Amino acid sequence: MKPPRPLSPPSAATPAVHQAAALLLGYPDRHWPARLTLVRDALGEVTGPGTAPLLRFCAAVRDIPVLDLAARYVVTFDRSRRRTLHLTYYTDGDTRRRGGSLAEWKARYRAHGWAPPEDELPDYLPLALEFAARCPAPGTRLLSEHRPAIELLRMALADHDSPYAEVLRAVCDTLPGASPADRATALALARGGPPAEAVGLAPFAAAPERAGHLPGGTGR
């Protein structure tokens, strides 16, 4: 196996963008107004890739009541497999290899002295972003390795006309290289040679969404 290609040094603002994105992608609970204010104030003190999309998101949701935003959050992330926040679903679908992928995520965290909470899967994007904020080099590498999945989520959110697409845009702006040209390219990169039993990837290739999808993740 070839050694991983070194990444360019991240912008000084990148950890702040990753931490802000992690907070903004969390479920909007009763602490949401304070969280949003904290993020807006922090971003006002930094400049760099990803800050502008996050500020656009903050402006877009600022006047939405918390209960309304929470309802939108559930519809956006919990009721469509195409918009789940659990990244291995985009690469492994409902397959046996997903368990191995999740174990690899845990091992990566532990190798850098970081223990994710036991009540959340390690591929949960806000968790990965928090790891990247605390451990920038290995965290940015982990996000970069799963960029196709992040891009698929970004595209699905844009198709859904969700303001959360701006948060995903911010994350992508912090990663090296260009975004895939379209969903087909991103899907091919995410699959990386899908296993024969891959049965959970079809929703990402389909153009229209179908009603009745099971939730792809807890999102909370």
Side-chain angles (χ1 to χ4, degrees), residues 8-219:
S8 301
S11 162
T14 296
V17 169
H18 288 163
Q19 183 63 71
L23 291 171
L24 295 176
L25 286 173
Y27 179 74
D29 57 17
R30 62 189 178 89
H31 302 294
W32 173 256
R35 201 190 319 165
L36 188 62
T37 298
L38 175 66
V39 168
R40 284 205 316 263
D41 291 348
L43 291 176
E45 300 178 3
V46 297
T47 57
T51 56
L54 291 181
L55 289 171
R56 288 196 296 268
F57 171 82
C58 291
V61 302
R62 179 181 54 201
D63 297 325
I64 301 176
V66 174
L67 290 179
D68 290 350
L69 186 62
R72 294 189 193 185
Y73 184 98
V74 171
V75 170
T76 299
F77 295 115
D78 292 359
R79 295 184 180 172
S80 172
R81 289 174 176 172
R82 292 181 64 198
R83 297 190 299 269
T84 177
L85 288 166
H86 290 88
L87 297 182
T88 61
Y89 193 84
Y90 298 90
T91 55
D92 299 326
D94 287 329
T95 68
R96 289 188 293 273
R97 81 174 185 183
R98 190 178 179 203
S101 296
L102 293 172
E104 290 176 9
W105 277 75
K106 284 188 176 181
R108 293 282 284 275
Y109 290 149
R110 289 170 179 161
H112 297 281
W114 200 71
E118 292 296 328
D119 61 350
E120 186 55 78
L121 293 177
D123 64 336
Y124 182 51
L125 180 55
L127 193 63
L129 288 165
E130 186 175 346
F131 173 65
R134 298 187 184 198
C135 305
T140 299
R141 179 173 300 285
L142 184 62
L143 292 173
S144 297
E145 290 172 5
H146 292 83
R147 180 170 186 168
I150 296 170
E151 295 280 5
L152 283 168
L153 175 56
R154 177 185 64 78
M155 294 175 189
L157 290 169
D159 290 346
H160 191 59
D161 293 326
S162 170
Y164 284 100
E166 293 282 18
V167 183
L168 271 292
R169 166 50 62 194
V171 175
C172 292
D173 284 351
T174 67
L175 303 179
S179 294
D182 50 38
R183 179 176 284 104
T185 302
L187 180 62
L189 291 171
R191 281 177 169 174
E197 76 275 21
V199 297
L201 295 171
F204 304 110
E209 291 190 40
R210 299 188 303 276
H213 278 163
L214 294 174
T218 63

